[in-house]
Amino acid sequence: NAMITSWSGAVLRTTHMTGTATDLGSALGRMLSRFFRRGCSLRNFSDQDWDEHTVDRQKFVLMNCLLYSFIAGGVVGAGAYGCMELHS
C-alpha cells in the first residue's frame, strides 16, 4: 500500500485510519532507513537527506496528530453516549 502511494505521488491517505497508520509507518521507515544507511550518524546526512528528513518528520507528526485525534474522538463519543445515551 505504501509503495503504490509513493509511486503514484499521493501525499496523504486519509480515507480511513488504516491509510493514516500506513503513512505513519512509511514515514518512520524512511527516516530510520536513511539514518541506518548513513552509518547511524546525523553528521553523514547531505542537504538532500535533511530536506527529505524534514518532510518525513512533518508528515510523521501530522499522522500522529490525526491518529490521536481519532482515538480521542472515540473516547469522548463513548463518554458522551454513556452520559446522554440517545441524546448524544
Side-chain angles (χ1 to χ4, degrees):
N1 197 6
M3 280 181 28
I4 295 301
T5 302
S6 296
W7 289 342
S8 68
V11 178
L12 296 173
R13 268 182 302 270
T14 57
T15 56
H16 46 78
M17 290 314 295
T18 57
T20 300
T22 300
D23 283 341
L24 195 128
S26 179
L28 179 62
R30 281 191 306 273
M31 288 189 294
L32 289 174
S33 174
R34 190 176 305 110
F35 182 69
F36 289 129
R37 274 184 292 147
R38 299 297 181 212
C40 298
S41 175
L42 297 177
R43 290 186 204 140
N44 296 334
F45 274 32
S46 66
D47 289 339
Q48 182 180 357
D49 288 331
W50 279 115
D51 291 343
E52 292 172 0
H53 177 77
T54 300
V55 169
D56 286 334
R57 189 181 66 230
Q58 290 171 343
K59 192 172 186 180
F60 184 77
V61 169
L62 174 64
M63 292 297 114
N64 270 307
C65 289
L66 287 172
L67 184 62
Y68 288 123
S69 295
F70 178 79
I71 293 169
V75 170
V76 169
Y81 182 78
C83 291
M84 296 186 261
E85 293 188 17
L86 294 178
H87 300 292
S88 61

